[in-house]
C-alpha cells in the first residue's frame, strides 16, 4: 500500500527497528507533523505514551493541549498534558524550547519528535546564515538520545496529507505564520524562493548536505577522541590539522564544564595555540577564561 500514511509508517518502523527503545513517548503539539507521528506510533507500539506540552503563551492554550491529548488517547496512546512556564535567557523561542525539552525528558526510552524534512532544511539554512560552523549546518540527528526524529526524511506535505487521509483535525499554531520569527520567514519566503530559482528539490538537497556533514563531523570527532587525555598541553596538539585541533579543544572545554560553546569561542581559544603572541586569556560562557601559561592551556573562573 502506497500513500502518506504508509510512508510515515515505513519511516517510523525503520527508526524503531534500528534503535529498539525500551519505551516510546511521542511529543505532540496538535499540529500535523506530531499528530501524524502519534497516530502511527499508536498503531505500532502498544503501551506508548504521548506528552502534550502547554507553553501557556497563547489564549486558549490549555484547550488546545487538552484536545490534542484526547486525540492521542483515541490513537491508543497513554496521553497527558504538561504545563510549563516559559522564562529565561535567549529570547522567547529558546526559552520555550528549553522549557519544552525539560518537560519531555523521559526517565527511560526515547521521545519521538515530529521534525520533518522541511524542518531539517530550515535548520541547515539557519546554521548557514549564522556562520555557526559545520556542526550547526549538519542539522538535526535522527537519534540523539533520548530524542528521536523518525520523520526527517518525510516532507511536511506528507504529514498533512496523512492527517487528511485519516480524518485527523489539525491545530494551526499562529506562531507558525508570524513573520517576527526568523524560522517562519525562512519557511514562507526563503525556501519557496530557492525552490523557484533552483527548480525544486532544495529541501531534499539541504537535508542530504546535512547528512554528509554529520558523517564528516562524526569521523573527525572520533579521531579527536585519541587526544582527549592531555589536550591542554600545546605541544601535543599544535601540529594537528585545524579542524581536528578545534574538536580536541571543544571536547576538553566541555569536559571542564564550559557551556554553550560557539564556533567563534573555539576560534579564539585556538588562537592561543596557533597564533600565540603572549596575548591575554579568552573569556568564555559560564564565567570561565582560558589562558596559556608555560606551554599549557588552563581553564579558570573569571576573576
Amino acid at each position: 500500500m502506497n500513500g502518506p500514511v504508509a510512508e510515515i509508517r515505513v519511516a517510523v518502523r525503520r527508526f524503531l527497528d534500528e534503535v529498539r527503545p525500551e519505551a516510546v513517548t511521542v511529543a505532540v503539539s496538535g499540529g500535523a507533523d506530531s499528530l501524524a507521528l502519534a497516530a502511527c506510533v499508536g498503531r505500532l507500539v502498544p503501551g506508548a505514551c504521548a506528552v502534550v506540552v502547554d507553553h501557556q503563551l497563547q489564549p486558549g492554550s490549555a484547550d488546545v493541549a487538552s484536545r490534542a491529548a484526547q486525540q492521542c488517547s483515541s490513537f491508543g496512546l497513554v496521553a497527558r498534558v504538561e504545563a510549563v512556564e516559559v522564562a529565561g535567557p535567549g529570547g522567547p523561542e529558546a526559552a520555550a524550547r528549553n522549557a519544552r525539552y525539560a518537560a519531555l525528558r523521559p526517565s527511560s526510552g526515547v521521545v519521538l519528535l515530529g521534525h520533518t524534512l522541511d524542518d531539517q532544511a530550515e535548520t541547515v539554512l539557519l546554521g548557514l546564515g549564522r556562520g555557526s560552523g559545520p556542526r550547526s549546518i549538519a542539522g538535526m540527528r535522527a537519534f540523539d538520545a533520548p530524542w528521536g526524529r523518525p520523520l526527517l526524511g518525510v516532507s511536511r506535505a506528507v504529514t498533512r496529507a496523512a492527517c487528511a487521509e485519516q480524518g485527523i483535525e489539525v491545530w494551526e499554531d499562529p506562531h507558525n505564520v508570524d513573520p517576527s520569527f526568523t524560522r517562519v520567514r525562512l519557511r514562507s519566503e526563503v525556501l519557496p524562493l530557492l525552490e523557484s530559482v533552483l527548480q525544486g528539490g532544495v529541501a531534499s538537497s539541504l537535508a542530504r548536505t546535512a547528512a554528509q556533514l554529520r558523517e564528516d563531523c562524526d569521523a573527525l570527532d572520533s579521531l579527536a577522541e585519541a587526544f582527549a587525555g592531555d589536550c591542554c598541553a600545546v605541544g601535543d596538539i599544535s601540529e594537528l590539522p585545524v579542524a581536528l585541533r578545534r574538536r580536541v579543544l571543544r571536547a576538553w572545554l566541555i569536559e571542564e564544564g564550559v557551556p554553550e560553546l560557539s564556533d567563534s569561542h573555539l576560534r579564539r581559544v585556538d588562537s592561543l595555540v596557533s597564533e600565540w603572541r603572549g596575548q591575554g586569556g579568552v573569556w568564555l560562557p559560564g564565567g570561565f577564561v582560558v589562558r596559556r601559561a608555560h606551554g599549557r592551556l588552563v581553564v579558570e573562573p573569571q576573576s
Side-chain angles (χ1 to χ4, degrees), residues 107-177:
S107 57
S108 63
V110 301
V111 175
L112 302 185
L113 308 172
H115 294 134
T116 65
L117 178 74
D118 303 83
D119 294 306
Q120 184 74 299
E122 293 161 13
T123 299
V124 173
L125 283 177
L126 280 171
L128 184 63
R130 291 168 177 166
S132 305
R135 197 178 300 277
S136 176
I137 303 171
M140 297 175 284
R141 293 182 180 273
F143 182 50
D144 184 14
W147 316 112
R149 301 177 177 89
L151 304 186
L152 283 183
V154 176
S155 72
R156 191 173 291 135
V158 168
T159 64
R160 287 189 169 276
C163 287
E165 182 180 320
Q166 299 169 93
I168 298 172
E169 184 179 351
V170 172
W171 174 64
E172 301 292 349
D173 186 348
H175 285 167
N176 288 338
V177 292

Side-chain angles (χ1 to χ4, degrees), residues 8-252:
I8 290 172
R9 186 172 300 173
V10 168
V12 173
R13 279 190 182 277
R14 181 178 296 121
F15 177 88
L16 294 174
D17 287 345
E18 291 177 358
V19 176
R20 298 188 176 279
E22 58 180 299
V24 175
T25 300
V26 186
V28 179
S29 67
D33 302 337
S34 61
L35 284 176
L37 176 60
C40 179
V41 172
R43 295 186 180 93
L44 292 179
V45 187
C49 299
V51 176
V52 185
V53 176
D54 176 10
H55 298 87
Q56 304 184 92
L57 294 176
Q58 302 175 32
S61 65
D63 293 335
V64 171
S66 176
R67 184 166 57 250
Q70 291 171 12
Q71 289 175 297
C72 291
S73 296
S74 73
F75 303 151
L77 298 167
V78 179
R80 73 178 192 274
V81 175
E82 290 281 349
V84 298
E85 181 179 348
V86 176
E93 287 180 273
R97 183 173 57 252
N98 291 338
R100 180 169 60 253
Y101 276 71
L104 290 169
R105 185 171 291 276
S107 57
S108 63
V110 301
V111 175
L112 302 185
L113 308 172
H115 294 134
T116 65
L117 178 74
D118 303 83
D119 294 306
Q120 184 74 299
E122 293 161 13
T123 299
V124 173
L125 283 177
L126 280 171
L128 184 63
R130 291 168 177 166
S132 305
R135 197 178 300 277
S136 176
I137 303 171
M140 297 175 284
R141 293 182 180 273
F143 182 50
D144 184 14
W147 316 112
R149 301 177 177 89
L151 304 186
L152 283 183
V154 176
S155 72
R156 191 173 291 135
V158 168
T159 64
R160 287 189 169 276
C163 287
E165 182 180 320
Q166 299 169 93
I168 298 172
E169 184 179 351
V170 172
W171 174 64
E172 301 292 349
D173 186 348
H175 285 167
N176 288 338
V177 292
D178 184 347
S180 65
F181 294 105
T182 303
R183 187 178 283 270
V184 171
R185 296 196 66 187
L186 282 175
R187 180 179 305 157
S188 61
E189 300 176 34
V190 177
L191 273 168
L193 178 61
L194 286 173
E195 292 282 351
S196 174
V197 171
L198 300 177
Q199 301 180 4
V202 170
S204 296
S205 297
L206 289 170
R208 286 196 303 274
T209 298
Q212 292 163 5
L213 277 169
R214 280 196 304 278
E215 291 168 355
D216 290 350
C217 286
D218 288 347
L220 286 168
D221 287 344
S222 178
L223 291 172
E225 289 178 3
F227 296 88
D230 191 21
C231 68
C232 52
V234 172
D236 291 346
I237 63 172
S238 59
E239 298 304 317
L240 293 177
V242 173
L244 184 56
R245 184 172 65 237
R246 287 182 184 155
R247 280 169 170 79
V248 171
L249 290 170
R250 180 178 183 274
W252 170 60

